[in-house]
Amino acid sequence: MIVVGVDIGSTTAKAVVLNESATIWSAIIPSGNSPPSAGKEVFALAVKNSQHTMEEVSYVIATGYGRVSAEFANKTVTEISCHGRGANYLNPATRTIIDIGGQDSKAISLDEHGKVIDFMINDKCASGTGRFLETAAELVLRVKLQDLGTLSAKATDTPNISSACTVFAQTEMVSLLATGVPVENLVAGLHRAVAARVSSMVKRIGIKPTVMMTGGVAKNSGVIAAFRKELNIDVVVPTNMDPQLVGALGAALIAQEMAKNGGTGRV
Amino acid sequence: MAGPAVFDTANPTAGLLDHLDERLAKELALIAEAKQKGQKVIGYFCPYLPEELILAGGMLPVRLAFGGELESSVAGEEYLKAYSCPVSRSCVGYQVTGTNEYYNLVDAFCVTQTCENIKHVQEYLEKRFTKPVFRLGLPRTCDSTRSRPQSIEYFKGELQSLRAKLGEFGGRPIRDLDIRRAITLCNNIREKLRFIYEYPDQRHTLLDWYDSFKITQAGFLMNRKDYLKELELIERSIIGRKPPVEADGKVRMLLMGSMLGIGDHKIPDLIKETGGKIVTDNTCTGISNSRKNVTVFGIIGDTMEALAERYLYNVPCPCMTDLDRRLKRTSMIIQDYAVEGVIYYNLKYCDNWRTEYPIFKDYLQKELKMPILLIESDYSPSDVGTIRTKIEAFIEMIRGI
Ligand SMILES: Nc1ncnc2c1ncn2[C@@H]1O[C@H](COP(=O)(O)OP(=O)(O)O)[C@@H](O)[C@H]1O
């Protein structure tokens, strides 16, 4: 028997398959323009990757912003609880989670049992999201998203990008480029701008170590470094796991628990 | 209604509000008819305004606490800044759109000087839309024993001048006797509301909050004498009914914060949909307005003083400096209604509520160990998805998954 957690985000759909001995298989695909079909697709893909069959799936939990449309799920759970569960599983010392996805950012506070005790979600402002990094990299700086981390490590200076609005921030970057500021410095500035914006939210729920970063943007080592500076505290990423999968992992862990308790959810 | 009625125990409130609904549907026509006969309609916004004065002057009070309508809130941007709260933008916006029939029937406005936003509303109503506006000044400091007598004195003076202006507008001076009668009517309404709202007790109320809230808000619009009759009818028919056995497992929530106007359902609906349950509210449009009666001491008692005393102290509005009182009040409500989580509703750009949030949060989390969730929103439907996630996550946090 296997259980599956499916995290249908604004940018990517992720699925994690768990068997009884806690072996993990996964899949990530773009959400595209149809979150419902992306969810179904990534679910099937992850099960295929696990070499199991659909008939062996005993429980599915859907999370993420597209969770409501996941008809294949037994139950839906919010991203907040799933990231909490996933982060707690990967590192039980985690007390604060910073999750930055494609279109929002979240700060979650956990107690010593891994229980969520407070959280904040920001989706009002794009400047603290993965999308902002994507468009800045592709449209303004003309570099690959995956290279942002290594580029910013080479920066000799971190220019200030002061605009809180992403559109103006991009204009600002264009004019900085025009004055001859090297791309890697600008990338560092960009990372600092994102970290600063999200940090003010994290500070409101209170920062307790260990701080873990999850979500797709946690793959960008430059953002992690910027957070360390901004919060003046160590920020870790999961070691044996793609941080982008933490939400789906949490969903799978909750699914496992529900399956054990004979949980009957919404089918 | 003779004999012991048999109730559907699964649905103990079935049909309870039908009569009220029917009556309310006729209200606009009835107001228009009264106007034809020469009666004046006075619109007002905040519950700091004693409607007893309007009633005593033989006029019809209508509390214009409408909300939730995007169109009017956008229309108001023509005059007010886009970052004024949606309530204030709608107040002006309805003048622009002409779509609110109650506004269209108003002969004069009474405006309490509460927050910055409403101050501007009042100016536009008068200057731009050339409506008669009667202002009621409001002291801000009413919490300390030092400031109390001064504040009451000032407020009483303001009430006296409002009384004079209303008298002039209505065509006859407002007599003390009429004020006393109006006070009795309003006190009766308050008592009935408290009874209905909290029947049989605060923790296991018969009517759910959504119905109670609807009943309360009907009283903003309806002819007050008829409203009292409606309340009496409801009161009589709930006696003996038993609330449903509480095994629904829903998280008991207190909804507090910015004005929750007639028509502003977004947050209450989302709470219901996500498996929460509002058990009571602490907003300026809920039961808090009916908590206290106006007490005039005997035949020689000063009616204006009694009104000043009652109205200055009974609204949960952060334009006042009585933060400690409001914190304490909130904590009492939490205990009385066995609240498990607090939703703090902040209408965007309602700066007073927003600025106080960190203080409320600290107090609730640290002193009362009470989870609290801030929801900032306006009348646009664009944020429904995120708010749903926030409330769901909040429920998961309280209940566990
Ligand atoms: N390899 C990578 N390097 C840097 N950033 C990445 C990488 N892959 C994804 N991202 C970032 O992650 C974001 C998507 O994160 P994700 O958690 O999948 O979002 P959501 O759950 O909202 O769909 C993208 O907008 C992008 O900024």
Side-chain angles (χ1 to χ4, degrees):
Chain A
M1 278 300 168
I2 52 169
V3 293
V4 188
V6 183
D7 175 3
I8 309 165
S10 62
T11 311
T12 62
K14 288 95 30 185
V16 162
V17 174
L18 275 184
N19 70 2
E20 274 118 356
S21 45
T23 314
I24 295 174
W25 297 272
S26 66
I28 303 181
I29 64 169
S31 293
N33 56 11
S34 167
S37 54
K40 233 187 282 176
E41 208 179 307
V42 79
F43 170 36
L45 193 61
V47 172
K48 196 174 142 216
N49 289 346
S50 75
Q51 317 261 318
H52 286 84
T53 62
M54 281 297 199
E55 285 69 45
E56 291 171 86
V57 178
S58 65
Y59 210 89
V60 185
I61 283 187
T63 185
Y65 119 111
R67 68 185 180 284
V68 279
S69 61
E71 276 153 15
F72 53 82
N74 298 79
K75 191 178 163 60
T76 62
V77 176
T78 65
E79 304 89 288
I80 299 290
S81 301
C82 290
H83 278 270
R85 185 65 68 95
N88 174 256
Y89 177 82
L90 295 168
N91 184 348
T94 307
R95 295 290 174 274
T96 311
I97 303 168
I98 304 169
D99 163 38
I100 308 186
Q103 275 175 24
D104 64 8
S105 48
K106 306 184 182 77
I108 306 166
S109 186
L110 301 180
D111 70 7
E112 61 276 17
H113 309 292
K115 198 179 150 323
V116 176
I117 45 175
D118 202 1
F119 65 89
M120 283 185 83
I121 304 178
N122 168 36
D123 70 331
K124 273 177 288 183
C125 169
S127 64
T129 68
R131 178 75 79 246
F132 176 43
L133 289 167
E134 276 181 58
T135 45
E138 282 160 27
L139 301 178
V140 182
L141 306 170
R142 315 273 172 195
V143 298
K144 282 209 189 77
L145 184 68
Q146 293 85 328
D147 298 339
L148 288 176
T150 32
L151 275 170
S152 65
K154 289 189 213 138
T156 51
D157 188 26
T158 312
N160 214 0
I161 297 168
S162 53
S163 294
C165 163
T166 57
V167 179
F168 290 129
Q170 283 170 21
T171 318
E172 210 176 329
M173 280 187 270
V174 171
S175 52
L176 284 168
L177 277 176
T179 61
V181 175
V183 169
E184 48 283 11
N185 291 11
L186 262 185
V187 174
L190 182 64
H191 291 162
R192 182 167 71 190
V194 170
R197 201 123 283 264
V198 178
S199 290
S200 68
M201 174 175 73
V202 185
K203 280 175 191 159
R204 272 189 234 158
I205 67 158
I207 302 154
K208 273 166 268 143
T210 300
V211 181
M212 180 188 279
M213 200 175 155
T214 64
V217 174
K219 291 193 204 187
N220 181 335
S221 56
V223 173
I224 307 279
F227 267 114
R228 285 187 185 127
K229 260 208 195 115
E230 199 64 42
L231 298 174
N232 203 14
I233 194 170
D234 192 27
V235 176
V236 303
V237 280
T239 37
N240 304 318
M241 181 98 191
D242 181 344
Q244 204 166 6
L245 289 170
V246 174
L249 171 68
L253 290 164
I254 296 168
Q256 199 167 51
E257 196 178 287
M258 297 255 162
K260 258 187 219 139
N261 300 340
T264 43
R266 183 170 66 92
V267 186
Chain B
M1 246 176 292
V6 181
F7 303 114
D8 175 1
T9 43
N11 191 5
T13 56
L16 202 58
L17 303 193
D18 290 356
H19 200 274
L20 180 84
D21 285 339
E22 267 168 48
R23 174 62 183 75
L24 195 57
K26 293 187 202 129
E27 199 54 42
L28 281 165
L30 290 169
I31 297 176
E33 211 180 294
K35 261 177 81 110
Q36 287 270 311
K37 291 186 191 145
Q39 214 175 2
K40 295 248 162 54
V41 181
I42 307 292
Y44 74 97
F45 302 107
C46 293
Y48 281 110
L49 195 119
E51 56 180 35
E52 282 91 337
L53 291 180
I54 303 171
L55 290 164
M59 294 173 275
L60 290 174
V62 173
R63 182 166 170 209
L64 301 161
F66 294 95
E69 204 209 75
L70 182 62
E71 192 201 357
S72 57
S73 74
V74 172
E77 280 176 32
E78 202 177 309
Y79 298 101
L80 298 186
K81 53 197 192 310
Y83 48 92
S84 311
C85 80
V87 170
S88 60
R89 278 186 279 126
S90 282
C91 290
V92 174
Y94 285 126
Q95 301 300 321
V96 179
T97 62
T99 49
N100 185 304
E101 296 298 332
Y102 285 97
Y103 270 81
N104 296 346
L105 290 168
V106 167
D107 294 305
F109 292 93
C110 281
V111 189
T112 327
Q113 307 299 304
T114 47
C115 63
E116 189 70 10
N117 287 315
I118 227 68
K119 169 188 173 292
H120 295 309
V121 167
Q122 165 248 123
E123 285 159 357
Y124 277 100
L125 289 176
E126 189 175 55
K127 298 283 181 260
R128 200 74 207 181
F129 299 96
T130 56
K131 299 279 180 185
V133 172
F134 307 129
R135 278 170 272 274
L136 176 67
L138 194 68
R140 287 295 182 282
T141 48
C142 63
D143 45 349
S144 70
T145 35
R146 188 186 53 79
S147 62
R148 191 180 163 104
Q150 292 171 22
S151 292
I152 292 287
E153 202 48 40
Y154 167 75
F155 194 44
K156 201 173 128 185
E158 285 292 310
L159 289 176
Q160 252 140 5
S161 74
L162 179 70
R163 171 182 176 176
K165 280 184 259 176
L166 281 171
E168 213 174 293
F169 189 73
R172 62 169 161 92
I174 297 173
R175 296 176 306 170
D176 218 49
L177 178 67
D178 294 320
I179 296 179
R180 280 171 188 268
R181 282 190 184 133
I183 287 174
T184 306
L185 172 62
C186 292
N187 279 346
N188 284 339
I189 288 175
R190 290 177 187 117
E191 275 160 29
K192 300 284 171 239
L193 275 174
R194 289 197 298 262
F195 180 85
I196 294 168
Y197 202 94
E198 296 175 344
Y199 179 84
D201 62 65
Q202 289 168 322
R203 296 202 179 185
H204 315 92
T205 48
L206 175 77
L207 282 154
D208 74 0
W209 174 85
Y210 297 84
D211 285 341
S212 306
F213 203 58
K214 194 167 148 191
I215 296 174
T216 305
Q217 296 198 330
F220 296 174
L221 307 172
M222 201 179 279
N223 178 306
R224 303 305 190 258
K225 278 186 186 148
D226 295 348
Y227 182 53
L228 179 62
K229 282 186 209 136
E230 292 295 329
L231 294 180
E232 282 163 354
L233 209 64
I234 296 174
E235 181 189 53
R236 254 179 292 154
S237 58
I238 62 174
I239 293 174
R241 296 198 196 197
K242 285 196 181 65
V245 189
E246 181 117 359
D248 58 9
K250 290 185 175 146
V251 173
R252 299 175 62 87
M253 291 186 180
L254 160 66
L255 179 62
M256 65 176 293
S258 303
M259 189 189 101
L260 196 64
I262 301 171
D264 187 2
H265 309 285
K266 184 159 77 175
I267 307 302
D269 285 354
L270 281 169
I271 292 174
K272 204 181 213 170
E273 278 170 38
T274 48
K277 171 175 168 177
I278 302 174
V279 289
T280 190
D281 72 287
N282 193 18
T283 66
C284 64
T285 45
I287 192 69
S288 60
N289 298 324
S290 308
R291 285 249 145 76
K292 240 178 96 187
N293 281 1
V294 177
T295 321
V296 188
F297 295 100
I299 313 251
I300 49 152
D302 183 342
T303 50
M304 300 309 280
E305 176 122 6
L307 288 174
E309 278 277 353
R310 158 62 175 71
Y311 276 87
L312 198 51
Y313 292 97
N314 218 37
V315 183
C317 182
C319 73
M320 287 289 182
T321 59
D322 60 348
L323 177 59
D324 283 330
R325 181 205 307 272
R326 279 178 286 115
L327 289 172
K328 214 179 283 163
R329 165 101 255 157
T330 308
S331 131
M332 272 161 63
I333 293 174
I334 286 172
Q335 279 168 24
D336 289 347
Y337 287 86
V339 169
E340 297 172 282
V342 175
I343 304 249
Y344 193 100
Y345 176 44
N346 177 238
L347 270 176
K348 268 182 208 162
Y349 315 117
C350 176
D351 293 339
N352 284 329
W353 276 110
R354 182 62 188 87
T355 313
E356 279 189 0
Y357 174 71
I359 296 171
F360 264 91
K361 179 176 164 153
D362 252 28
Y363 175 75
L364 290 189
Q365 285 186 338
K366 292 193 182 127
E367 311 266 322
L368 307 178
K369 305 274 172 259
M370 178 55 50
I372 177 167
L373 176 71
L374 172 67
I375 304 242
E376 287 183 273
S377 188
D378 56 17
Y379 298 157
S380 112
S382 64
D383 55 1
V384 163
T386 320
I387 296 177
R388 185 194 307 273
T389 300
K390 282 182 189 172
I391 301 174
E392 269 183 40
F394 189 57
I395 290 173
E396 287 168 3
M397 186 178 105
I398 294 168
R399 268 283 174 273
I401 308 147

